[in-house]
Amino acid sequence: MSDLVRLSAAELASALAAGDVSSVEVTRAHLDRIGAVDSAVHAFLHVDPVGALAQAAAADARRADDDDFPELLGVPVAVKDILTTKGLPTTAGSRILDGWAPPYDATVVTRLRKGGQPILGKTNMDEFAMGSSTEHSAFGPSHNPWDLDRIPGGSGGGSAAAVSAFEAPLAIGTDTGGSIRQPGAVTGTVGVKPTYGGVSRYGLIALASSLDQAGPVARTVLDAALLHDVIGGHDPLDSTSIDTQWPSMAAAARAGDVAGLRVGVVKELGGEGYQVGVQARFEETLTLLVDAGAELVEVSCPHFELALAAYYLILPSEASSNLAKFDAMRYGMRVAPEGVALPSAEEVMRATREAGFGDEVKRRIILGTFALSSGYYDAYYGQAQKVRTLISRDFEAAFAQADVLVSPTAPTTAFRIGEKVDDPLAMYLNDIATIPANLAGVPGMSLPSGLAREDGLPTGFQILAPALQDARLYAVGAALEAMLVDRWGGPLLDMAPELTVED
Ligand code: GLN
């Protein structure tokens, strides 16, 4: 494996700035790595070597011409296949969009292009971001580089697998209920869900519009911060985008500190139901924080216990409406019903949705349609929205006592492929600790907290901050990461087994 793919994005940026290496060389090294390992990892649904190398050459030319360029100029990135990319396939992991090449770029993608970051390709995901393992992808699962028989989390397992397998230094994920943070936890990477409205949703194929948020996936907190600075900020094309001047996340990461920090340990997230090794690493990480001068406060968020139930009413309701646009008329697939000479539009629509959507998508459309139907709306959807308000109030009360809240990110380490795929409720439980942040719109980060003793697999530590305080996540996360790297004698991913594939 080329040493270039082992460098962090910040290290690549310095090497590029010093003229030690070109973006073409860096991009080629990652494409070679993808060529060598992706048949085993399956992080990518589509790789774009020609486009990426052309963008790399343009980045090198820009650097030669100009003194003022973005810090990540020339550093390649992988993009979850739920963000539209002009002329490049975008499937959202679904058959129904197979073969579709969007006519426009998502704002996140536009910003990556403006920043001169070559796009290596599009990463695998659960269909329409519904899932926690990538097993609901219509194109087959991704594999966890720590153990190829295990899941890399979901829905953004492809982005997390690409970064943890050194196929990309950075990736974009999206998080509706945990799809950036939980894959981060189970692959030993850093993932951040920004404040709702902090990163534009324009061009993000909607799952649940009031919960969806794109964010960075990286191997270090600083790298995530640098990428956040590129993709974040107000966008007039997204009416829910927050119009404010955000501080530099990278500056916050570089100034990271935890002395005097009040850390709220959420009583309801952790303990019973959490794997012993996950809980143990969580508690050990708390000790590191205390040793560095932070103060622990136990906080209670009693309504978090209702979060999963509320989420699985609100998400399917919004999804059933958002997915109505896949009607065989406008995008992708169109299936003619068998044995019907002159099918009506409705018959084509039915046949297409039957063939184009997978089981999990159909399950949620049915659930959402039911929850929104007249007669049941108040009992289900209306009730879930009230729970959502109570969860926001729990956050407000907790943040009155603490600067950040913490918990394990996911209740277990990576499970085996096939273990939970036929048990929707077991799959849904993976997000028990991540969902409250989406319901309230607050930002959250997962960073690697070590390996669980019983299976030697990565565990994740979640940090939550009040809305708009994303920079605080980076300040705390970077300081904590330094202590954890010290504790483990190096970055966690250095301990991952080398993938046994041709190099
Ligand atoms: N796993 C959760 C779900 O299935 C979260 C998905 C997401 O964040 N996109 O809904």
Side-chain angles (χ1 to χ4, degrees):
M1 158 171 34
S2 156
D3 289 345
L4 286 178
V5 304
R6 286 250 163 209
L7 299 182
S8 69
E11 288 165 342
L12 286 170
S14 325
L16 285 161
D20 295 341
V21 68
S22 70
S23 175
V24 168
E25 287 169 304
V26 169
T27 303
R28 188 166 286 135
H30 286 93
L31 290 167
D32 288 350
R33 176 73 178 164
I34 294 170
V37 303
D38 208 53
S39 55
V41 178
H42 194 223
F44 285 88
L45 291 177
H46 181 77
V47 184
D48 183 28
V50 175
L53 286 170
Q55 292 153 31
D60 288 333
R62 180 166 158 195
R63 193 180 290 275
D65 272 5
D66 200 346
D67 291 334
D68 187 25
F69 38 75
E71 186 161 351
L72 292 181
L73 175 68
V75 177
V77 57
V79 176
K80 188 177 181 182
D81 205 26
I82 196 163
L83 288 147
T84 58
T85 39
K86 190 174 177 180
L88 268 191
T90 301
T91 65
S94 183
R95 287 250 172 262
I96 211 157
L97 280 176
D98 204 1
W100 183 57
Y104 71 107
D105 279 330
T107 294
V108 164
V109 173
T110 303
R111 291 185 179 176
L112 293 172
R113 292 199 198 283
K114 273 207 187 117
Q117 294 193 246
I119 293 173
L120 296 164
K122 306 295 293 289
T123 57
N124 194 17
M125 54 181 288
D126 289 292
E127 185 173 7
F128 289 110
M130 298 179 188
S132 301
S133 69
T134 72
E135 291 168 291
H136 295 313
S137 167
F139 308 104
S142 300
H143 300 259
N144 191 321
W146 287 82
D147 176 348
L148 294 172
D149 292 333
R150 292 180 188 260
I151 59 103
S155 65
S159 285
V163 169
S164 55
F166 300 96
E167 296 174 80
L170 296 169
I172 303 291
T174 64
D175 191 312
T176 303
S179 285
I180 292 177
R181 288 164 287 158
Q182 179 259 4
V186 300
T187 58
T189 53
V190 177
V192 177
K193 182 202 92 74
T195 295
Y196 181 78
V199 175
S200 171
R201 288 186 301 109
Y202 179 75
L204 194 181
I205 298 171
L207 167 54
S209 312
S210 76
L211 302 164
D212 298 341
Q213 195 54 201
V217 176
R219 288 194 293 266
T220 70
V221 172
L222 175 60
D223 282 6
L226 287 163
L227 186 56
H228 193 144
D229 285 335
V230 174
I231 61 173
H234 181 241
D235 177 16
L237 298 176
D238 170 1
S239 63
T240 58
S241 166
I242 301 170
D243 192 357
T244 186
Q245 200 52 49
W246 295 87
S248 160
M249 305 298 158
R254 286 182 169 122
D257 193 13
V258 298
L261 185 79
R262 293 171 308 157
V263 176
V265 182
V266 185
K267 195 171 123 213
E268 288 76 11
L269 304 178
E272 207 188 321
Y274 286 69
Q275 190 180 317
V276 174
V278 169
Q279 185 68 25
R281 291 302 169 225
F282 172 68
E283 283 165 17
E284 191 181 81
T285 308
L286 293 180
T287 325
L288 293 179
L289 285 167
V290 172
D291 291 348
E295 178 200 339
L296 297 190
V297 221
E298 190 185 78
V299 298
S300 176
C301 297
H303 300 97
F304 281 17
E305 279 167 8
L306 304 171
L308 199 66
Y311 174 86
Y312 276 101
L313 287 166
I314 293 167
L315 177 139
S317 299
E318 293 187 20
S320 70
S321 163
N322 279 324
L323 296 182
K325 64 178 166 285
F326 299 103
D327 58 2
M329 303 298 141
R330 285 174 280 199
Y331 317 86
M333 184 181 210
R334 180 177 299 168
V335 174
E338 259 175 65
V340 187
L342 284 172
S344 66
E346 282 77 11
E347 285 166 330
V348 173
M349 206 181 293
R350 193 176 308 131
T352 303
R353 287 167 70 87
E354 165 61 32
F357 286 143
D359 288 350
E360 182 62 24
V361 173
K362 287 177 187 158
R363 184 178 295 129
R364 295 199 196 188
I365 291 175
I366 292 168
L367 205 61
T369 312
F370 177 77
L372 290 177
S373 57
S374 72
Y376 291 105
Y377 183 98
D378 289 334
Y380 293 111
Y381 183 75
Q383 206 58 15
Q385 291 291 18
K386 287 181 191 159
V387 169
R388 192 170 186 175
T389 303
L390 295 174
I391 287 168
S392 292
R393 286 191 193 147
D394 279 1
F395 269 116
E396 270 167 46
F399 283 128
Q401 295 168 262
D403 303 308
V404 292
L405 304 181
V406 297
S407 76
T409 308
T412 68
T413 56
F415 47 92
R416 283 181 202 288
I417 291 175
E419 200 177 310
K420 297 187 181 173
V421 68
D422 296 323
D423 184 350
L425 290 183
M427 193 68 90
Y428 297 170
L429 279 170
N430 282 287
D431 295 305
I432 193 130
T434 46
I435 279 174
N438 300 80
L439 289 171
V442 306
M445 167 186 286
S446 177
L447 77 166
S449 51
L451 304 177
R453 196 163 288 137
E454 57 273 27
D455 54 21
L457 292 168
T459 62
F461 186 86
Q462 176 174 241
I463 311 172
L464 304 169
L468 299 171
Q469 302 304 321
D470 304 46
R472 192 180 297 169
L473 293 180
Y474 289 104
V476 175
L480 181 55
E481 175 184 59
M483 296 184 247
L484 284 160
V485 167
D486 220 36
R487 153 78 180 86
W488 287 91
L492 206 64
L493 275 166
D494 286 359
M495 283 156 234
E498 181 49 61
L499 290 167
T500 47
V501 280
E502 302 270 306
D503 213 34

